[in-house]
Amino acid sequence: MAVELDVFVGNTTIMDEEVYQLWLDGYTVNDAVKVRMEGGVMEECEASADVLLSDTMDQYRTFQMCERLLHSPSKLANQLLFQIPPNRQAMLIERYYAFDDAFVREVLGKKLSKGTKKDLDDIGAKTGVTLKSCRRQFDNFKRVFKVVEELKGPLVENIPPIMRLLLISGIMLPLFFFANHRFETGKRKLQYLTFQDFAFCAGQLISNWTVGAVDNMVEDMDVDLDKEFLQELKELKVLITDKDLLDQHKSLVCTALRGKTKAFNEMEANFKNLSRGLVNIAAKLTNTKDVRDFFIDLVEKFIEPCRSDRWTAADMRLYLTHYNNSAHILDTFKHQAVWDRYMVVIKSCIFKMYHD
Amino acid sequence: MPGKLKVKIVAGRHLPVMDRASDLTDAFVEVKFGNTTFKTDVFPKSLNPQWNSEWFKFEVDDEDLQDEPLQVTVLDHDTYSANDAIGKVYIDIDPLLCSEAASVISGWFPIYDTIHGIRGEINVLVKVELFNDLNRFRQSSCGVKFFCTTSIPRCYRAAMVHGFVEELVVNEDPEYQWIDRIRSPRASNEARQRLISLMSGELQRKIGLKVLEMGGNAVVGYLQCFDLEGESGLVVRAIGTACTLDKLSSGSAPNTNTHMHPNTAPASNACNSPSKDGKEPVFGEDLTSSSGPPTPFRALPTTSSSPPPFSPSKPCSRQSSSSDTDLSLTPKTVETVRSRPGIFLCPSSPTLSTNTLSLAGSGSVGCGHGSAPRATTPPPPSSIPSYTVLLRKSLSFTDDLLLAASGMGSGGSVGKEAGPLKTLLRQQTQTALEQRGASSSGLLLNAREFPFFTLTSFPPGFLLHVGGVVSARSVKLLDRIHNPALGNTRSYKLLDWNSVTADEPETRDAWWEEIRQEIKSHAKALGCHGVVGYSESTSICEEVCILSASGTAAILNPRYMREGCLDIGITDHRFEEPSPPSCGFCHIPYDELNMPFPAQLTYCYHCRRQKVPDVLFTTINLPQEAAVTGKGCLIQARLCRLKKKAQGEVNATAISNLLPFMEYELHTQLMNKLKLRSMNALFGLHIQISVGENMLLGLASATGVYLTALPAPGGIQIAGKTPGDLSNEHHILTIQKRINDTIAKNKELYQINPPELTEEVVGSPIPEPRQRSRLFRSHSESSDELSELDLSHGKKDAFVLEIDDTDAVEDIHSLLTDAPTPTGFYSCNTEIMPGIYSWTSGVQMFTSVRVFRLSNANLTNQGLNKIFTDLCENLLKSFYFKLRSMIPCCLCQLNFAVAVPEEELIQVAVTAVAMTFDKDQAQEKPADKSTTKGGSETEEQLQFPMELCADASSANTQPSSKISVSSLEHCSPLPEGRSRSLRSNRSFRGSPVTVVKMTPLSFLPGTRIIKYLGIINMFFIRETTSLREEGGVSGFLHTFIAEVFAMVRAHVAALGGNAVVSYSMKECMLMENPNKNQAQCLINVSGDAVICVRETDQEPNPSMANIGQTCASGTDGAT
């Protein structure tokens, strides 16, 4: 004795956001029913477990039927099969293309190829995200990537509305940026950083160091770093190669810092090392290989030494602010503009990446 | 050649990939109408082709225009092999043939394939140029409007109701033709779809012709069904109500009902009532002689009761012994009435005259009205007159059968080989038919043979009295419909009904004819001359077919009828004393001395002047003006009966033997559940009996209400048969307590607190006995006796249920297992929920199907009942759960359809609509109601001045205006309009796809229908050979239903509409074979495409602007 068939079709398609999320998260029907029962829906409407199961199955079926449409969001708006109010459509797409931070953190900087897909199992095991959900996110990633790559012309105008939504939501762009430049993010030393940290840094890099950042004319999605700027960064080397300049810089910073922090002694002792580290990073960015290592370099050359000296975040702030500002007072240092453009990103990245 | 059809193929989108190599498609389109085909160019390598074709022109007869659908086929061009079909679109161009409906069809249609479902969309433009054809002998009936809506459509006014129209056409089912063995499933499905489309078109045309003949211009309550009889063929049949409708100039009246009012206000007060009511106090004094109406009739022809002769042959009641004389006198009466209306002394009556319909219903008896189950144990059917009558047909048929069988001898003629037997039967039927034809030729000349109306809601005043439910069933053996015109199987030239000699095909017609006759006679037995809320249905299993028809016997106001439409004609309707519209329809139409069944009559609790039954069962919607206490609720009786597997005649006999018991039990269940909810009337009663190979399923659904005019129902009392047994006694006590608790709980739940209950009902059921005796002095002694008898009966006595065995215990348990609806929910199977009047705009129509497999081979009836009941209950529960976000909300028009598709399967399909309402305003109308009621009673000479004076002071205005106000309010309270505008602005503006709302009701809350665009009647077949891949049967059906919705919406949008009202799924036939990974499903849906705009309420500016917008933008209507 069993229910052989059980369907419910509304003229306006009924979709429960909670069940949708469970579906997206890759729960099986039975697990979803359990979660819902614990959530207390049953009391809400005097329902029984059977009712809940039937409803969950029905919703899952609806979502599966919708999934094909979600793959090309523009179709969802003018398909005829499901009557879904636009605000609901937006919700469906938004949630469908949402990413788990934990997942994205793992995929970050990896090459989007089939090879990675095999690793989804590992990622799933590592992050606790279900395989189904990993697969969806990964496929979405590739799907969006493909659309963006095929785009020609000004990014903002040509991008389909749904993609724009994703870009604005701040996930797609960093992902894309990281994938594009193949930033190294997987090293053990970088494990402590979350996706949010990287996303923030990516935002900083994009808005300050790319071509579009200067002339506001983003031609395409290749958020490429401004080559000219990278070349100019070599000029900053003078800060460490010129002995006078280095000393002068150091004394200016130390004067400003004296008495303001407990870590002053360490700062004074390490100044040359740290300064060398930061300037060298700048000087090497013309190499693609070194661009990839940007984050690892920041950690190794700057963050780790500071952390071993037990700087607080406030110390860090204080130090970097004065380090940046003092360079302007150096009369023989002519590259103020480049310096600022460089340091604004470095400062905010380090602030973000320096966890106490 | 009076028509030119023009078609343009614009573009396609989202086409499927047909060429794997390029991942693209080379699509072109074939446009076919009749035998003419046009093709577009191939649009190479695109999934979104832009054909922008020329106008393809078809010059065709309007007859063909009505019958044929336009067929658009999208194909993929293939240079080397045959072109692959992508899919088809059938477009019914009927709406274009009516000047008042749509003028152009333009929009995106889903491209549908019976194997793959929807595969992309195509944009098509269709126009028709129609030339006037003045040929009197034409076969077409263009211009007749069809409505599925079972009430007068909202933007029309009924000038005349002509009456019942019916037609059926038969054909061979392509699925069973020899050619089906060699053609592909796709071809077979398409042949079937096309054939049914053709047959529907033809049927509609023929009904249209009948309507034109009658002088009407529209069919309302059009109900078309098809019977897939398998081997024996395909029957498409339709019934409807012919009317003459006048279009209301838009904006003049937001609501038909209000429009009707000027005319009907007096009529609604007029009340035709049994003879006793004919004695208006004034005359009552004169009529001291207790010899019955005939005497006063002659003396004062215009004023006293005149028993109307329903049919000349009918034996008349005691009271009207001289029926023939009456008959001859009636015309005179009319004359007098017309020429001298002044004769009326009745000062209160605004209308003409007294009227009476005393009824001669002595012999046969209608069923269903309801007091029969008062009996405590199920007696054999013979002791329940209603049932014997009800089933006379099936039983007699069986007799014939047996007779025939014995006549044939035992020469091994079993099952299929019993050909001669069938012939014999056929002959019998035919002779019976001939006889009938001969005997009733006079009747036939009268043209309106059946005073049936498929309507379920009526303009105020239309319905005078309601007698009760009448129904008839008949079990038939299907036989191949011999169809000589079908020699050539390839051409589906349909059989022309008229040209065929009255041969075998007549049987289907004759069968229905018999049933209708029976219904008619039942109605007469109830003292009614008409049947409203009439519907017909079939259930087929193998070669056995149960034909059912049911309706509500009623007396109607002849003002709306064409002369001769009803047997009685106008003669009998002189309007006598006004009876309040809120209770008039409850008053018994039959003669209380010759009650067709045992019933307890009391005086109306509302007007206290006329008698009402203790319970009232009807198939119609609750009349708008009816006074109701509390809220209503859905009441269902469910029943399973096992039956031995058998073939042919034996099977038919077994079924017809079971039917009476099933009807009886369903009825008892309904009655018990009604009492349990402390209600006294059922509306929208629909009893469905489905036959399967090894069981019969019965499902009765109705909406229970507490009619203020009817007496309060007594409780239910449990009695044990074995008083000695102590444990048993205890058991009974517990059950009794549970029942009492349930009743009390239900009273609270449904807010049933009849105000008079405590003072009057309990003490003396008929208040102010002095007045009463004065009123009814003229009654015959026997009449007094009867009322005394009623009183002595202790009218409020509990309904006794006896427990004598475990079965009874089970029954009571099942009675109590119906779970109450969760808080915030209400449900009913009528259009609107009695007691809820402030609908807001949230509307969610849905279809749900469940199939249950019984794995246990040896089930008992009890076990089956439990399973079936649980199935229905669980279904309801899951609706409540799914729709919980809409709370407070009401499920309306819950339409259950049960079937036994295979031996161990039970299928339940439900279509309903959930509508939100404003909880705070839910009580608004009742308040209004009471003033209305007060008003009408004021006019009624204030029989109870003490009680009513409070009301009366405020209610001196005409009741008509009151009603119009209230009905307006219940459509659009102010806040609702606001919330609605917010919602639609936010969510639907700018959507590229027109939002099409669907509802099984005849209206959409908060909106006004400004145009009816035509009928939607679609039939689809879907088949799969990859069931597992499509998600099993559930996945398959889910997709299919969603596709059907999508196609309906697309057609409506293409007609320029934004909603479908009176939507229904008439058929959902699913066949599966999981082992072969196959399934097939047939769905038939219908409805009315409309344009509706948000109601203009007290905010003229924004809403007016909106209307303008919607009208202007046509297809992208914002609602």
Side-chain angles (χ1 to χ4, degrees), chain B residues 785-797:
Chain B
E785 260 171 32
L786 192 81
S787 55
E788 288 311 316
L789 200 77
D790 271 359
L791 289 170
S792 65
H793 230 258
K795 42 157 290 310
K796 288 288 87 58
D797 259 6

Side-chain angles (χ1 to χ4, degrees), chain B residues 811-848:
Chain B
D811 286 347
I812 288 164
H813 274 300
S814 69
L815 201 63
L816 291 165
T817 47
D818 276 11
T821 51
T823 38
F825 272 109
Y826 291 95
S827 56
C828 62
N829 76 334
T830 47
E831 279 229 315
I832 48 164
M833 177 72 172
I836 298 178
Y837 303 98
S838 54
W839 300 107
T840 49
S841 57
V843 170
Q844 171 67 277
M845 190 280 294
F846 61 86
T847 290
S848 181

Side-chain angles (χ1 to χ4, degrees), chain B residues 790-812:
Chain B
D790 271 359
L791 289 170
S792 65
H793 230 258
K795 42 157 290 310
K796 288 288 87 58
D797 259 6
F799 192 69
V800 181
L801 283 180
E802 238 168 66
I803 302 185
D804 47 1
D805 56 8
T806 45
D807 279 13
V809 176
E810 281 294 317
D811 286 347
I812 288 164

Side-chain angles (χ1 to χ4, degrees), chain A residues 57 89 256 259 273 278 288:
Chain A
M57 297 234 283
Q89 290 183 14
N273 254 343
L278 288 182
T288 331

Side-chain angles (χ1 to χ4, degrees), chain A residues 1-14 16 18 36 41-42 44-48 50-52 54-56 58-59 61-62 65 74-75 77-87 89, chain B residues 13-14 108 110 121 822-823 844-853 855 867 877-884 987-988 992-993 995-998 1033-1035 1037-1039 1041-1043 1045-1046 1049 1070 1072:
Chain A
M1 275 178 269
V3 174
E4 177 131 332
L5 176 153
D6 179 12
V7 295
F8 178 100
V9 190
N11 182 38
T12 303
T13 308
I14 294 184
D16 185 314
E18 187 201 345
R36 295 184 80 188
V41 213
M42 295 223 296
E44 192 183 304
C45 208
E46 302 161 36
S48 67
D50 283 349
V51 168
L52 213 55
S54 147
D55 178 59
T56 312
D58 221 64
Q59 303 249 8
R61 207 162 38 231
T62 310
M65 286 161 70
S74 56
K75 261 192 199 169
N78 59 15
Q79 51 84 31
L80 302 177
L81 190 57
F82 298 103
Q83 185 156 281
I84 307 169
N87 56 348
Q89 290 183 14
Chain B
R13 68 182 181 194
H14 307 158
W108 290 99
E121 288 128 36
T823 38
Q844 171 67 277
M845 190 280 294
F846 61 86
T847 290
S848 181
V849 182
R850 257 185 210 191
V851 175
F852 197 86
R853 183 174 287 279
S855 57
I867 288 169
K877 274 186 208 157
S878 64
F879 297 158
Y880 298 139
F881 181 74
K882 282 211 183 271
L883 300 163
R884 65 193 183 286
S987 54
F988 297 140
V993 179
V995 173
V996 176
K997 294 196 170 186
M998 287 162 71
V1033 262
S1034 295
L1037 191 63
H1038 194 139
T1039 318
I1041 293 175
E1043 282 171 345
F1045 283 2
R1049 287 193 301 256
L1070 178 74
E1072 48 160 336

